[in-house]
Amino acid sequence: MTTATLTGRRPANAHPWLRFAVRRFGGLLVGLAVLLVATFLMVHLIPGDPVRNVVGLNAKPEDVERMREALGLNLPLWQQFGRYLSGLFTGDLGISLRTRIPVSTVVASGLSASASLAAVAFVAVILIAVPLGMTVGVLTARGRRRALQTTFTAVTGLFASIPGFLLAVGLVYFFAVANPWLPVSGRAGWTSYLMPVTALAIAPIAGLSRIVRSQTAVVLGEDYLRTARSKQLPDRLLYLRHTLPNLLTATLTIGGMLLPGLLGGAVIIENVFNWPGIGTQVVIAVTGKDFPVAQTIILILGAAVLIVNAVVDLIIAAIDPRSTLRED
């Protein structure tokens, strides 16, 4: 019997995934802490006086001081940060300078709309890009069908390079102005999702499908695939049981990296389609100098990216421990 058995203790590497999860959670906390500090300092780093931007340059000194006191900007910096953290944990995010209603109410009204748009776009990217890239990778493996590979590369390269806002404007003109088939703006029914999701997902679909095609070509050249093919397995089993699982790690990694692009692109896309989400709200808040609202939205977007990336890392570690797990 081993020493670990005699002592009743498990080996230090008995739970590598759990240890990796703890380390990844620690990294997430550090990232969130940096994000908190950055969003807090945003008001202090922006040129100009945010109070003057609210009350106007010709306001009386007593009005300026009253507003500064209401915002807590007359307190020492460490006390302001303490109030900021306290507000986050208690749900008191302050008052919108533009509408004079609680920031939580303003943000909550657009959060569900943005989340639904980003979620539908992300699902569309995965469901279209992975089968498309894998199919083209199988058809063009080992140098076959050069014309198909060239056409696929050219078309996906073109769509990947088109700016989202330009595609959005084109969709509005064709499907809403020239041909009134789809609603031009707002969120009313499933048809209102078609144009914003298309504008948001086309470039990620093109980019991810190119990566999946390349990874498929690599996987099909591995020894274990040649062994499986020598056993005369049906193509369906060969591709679904042996090829697809080995593409999941790269696909999930790239998919997690695509999320910040989807969230960032949503800010522009929502404004083109007048989508009632936080992308529209953050533009209004920044242009209107509504710093409490802008702070909260930027914090939410940043935290969402950090959390999703951490979850993707944990999923990848569970699927393929060799790709992420490391011994201490």
Side-chain angles (χ1 to χ4, degrees):
M1 293 193 294
T2 62
T3 304
T5 304
L6 292 174
T7 58
R9 293 179 299 178
R10 294 186 177 184
N13 60 352
H15 299 288
W17 184 89
L18 181 59
R19 291 166 50 236
F20 172 78
V22 171
R23 293 197 302 271
R24 190 63 184 85
F25 181 71
L28 174 62
L29 292 180
V30 172
L32 290 174
V34 173
L35 179 65
L36 282 173
V37 174
T39 53
F40 167 73
L41 293 176
M42 184 179 72
V43 174
H44 301 275
L45 295 178
I46 293 178
D49 187 349
V51 175
R52 284 290 183 182
N53 291 328
V54 174
V55 301
L57 298 178
N58 298 322
K60 298 179 180 179
E62 55 269 24
D63 294 334
V64 175
E65 186 59 30
R66 189 180 303 112
M67 177 61 70
R68 191 181 300 278
E69 182 176 354
L71 295 176
L73 296 178
N74 58 339
L75 298 174
L77 195 61
W78 66 270
Q79 289 188 11
Q80 294 183 44
F81 186 64
R83 290 182 56 176
Y84 177 66
L85 291 180
S86 176
L88 289 177
F89 287 113
T90 59
D92 181 11
L93 303 175
I95 301 296
S96 168
L97 303 181
R98 185 176 60 89
T99 62
R100 295 297 193 272
I101 62 178
V103 172
S104 57
T105 303
V106 175
V107 175
S109 64
L111 189 58
S112 61
S114 291
S116 63
L117 181 61
V120 173
F122 184 77
V123 171
V125 170
I126 299 299
L127 293 184
I128 296 175
V130 175
L132 176 62
M134 185 175 174
T135 300
V136 176
V138 170
L139 294 176
T140 59
R142 297 183 297 278
R144 298 177 299 170
R145 299 179 179 87
R146 296 278 185 176
L148 174 60
Q149 180 176 341
T150 302
T151 302
F152 174 79
T153 303
V155 172
T156 53
L158 173 64
F159 280 110
S161 63
I162 298 178
F165 74 90
L166 184 61
L167 180 60
V169 172
L171 290 173
V172 169
Y173 175 78
F174 186 80
F175 290 103
V177 178
N179 304 286
W181 296 333
L182 297 174
V184 67
S185 66
R187 182 193 183 196
W190 66 270
T191 56
S192 63
Y193 281 82
L194 294 178
M195 286 197 293
V197 167
T198 300
L200 195 57
I202 282 293
I205 287 173
L208 183 59
S209 63
R210 289 166 64 99
I211 295 173
V212 172
R213 188 206 68 81
S214 300
Q215 289 295 319
T216 301
V218 172
V219 170
L220 291 177
E222 296 290 341
D223 291 338
Y224 66 87
L225 255 297
R226 286 194 289 266
T227 301
R229 189 178 289 109
S230 68
K231 296 179 180 179
Q232 298 183 343
L233 291 176
D235 289 344
R236 176 175 57 84
L237 293 179
L238 184 68
Y239 298 136
L240 295 181
R241 181 180 297 177
H242 296 280
T243 305
L244 182 59
N246 287 279
L247 296 173
L248 288 179
T249 299
T251 302
L252 287 173
T253 302
I254 301 300
M257 295 172 62
L258 287 175
L259 183 63
L262 291 176
L263 293 174
V267 173
I268 300 175
I269 299 302
E270 287 182 5
N271 281 271
V272 173
F273 294 101
N274 195 27
W275 189 264
I278 57 177
T280 301
Q281 289 178 347
V282 74
V283 172
I284 295 175
V286 171
T287 56
K289 310 298 184 183
D290 196 348
F291 298 111
V293 174
Q295 272 184 315
T296 302
I297 294 177
I298 292 172
L299 179 62
I300 290 174
L301 293 177
V305 172
L306 292 174
I307 292 171
V308 170
N309 284 336
V311 172
V312 168
D313 286 345
L314 294 177
I315 294 175
I316 293 173
I319 294 175
D320 184 9
R322 297 170 301 174
S323 63
T324 51
L325 301 185
R326 297 290 184 269
E327 295 297 331
D328 289 337

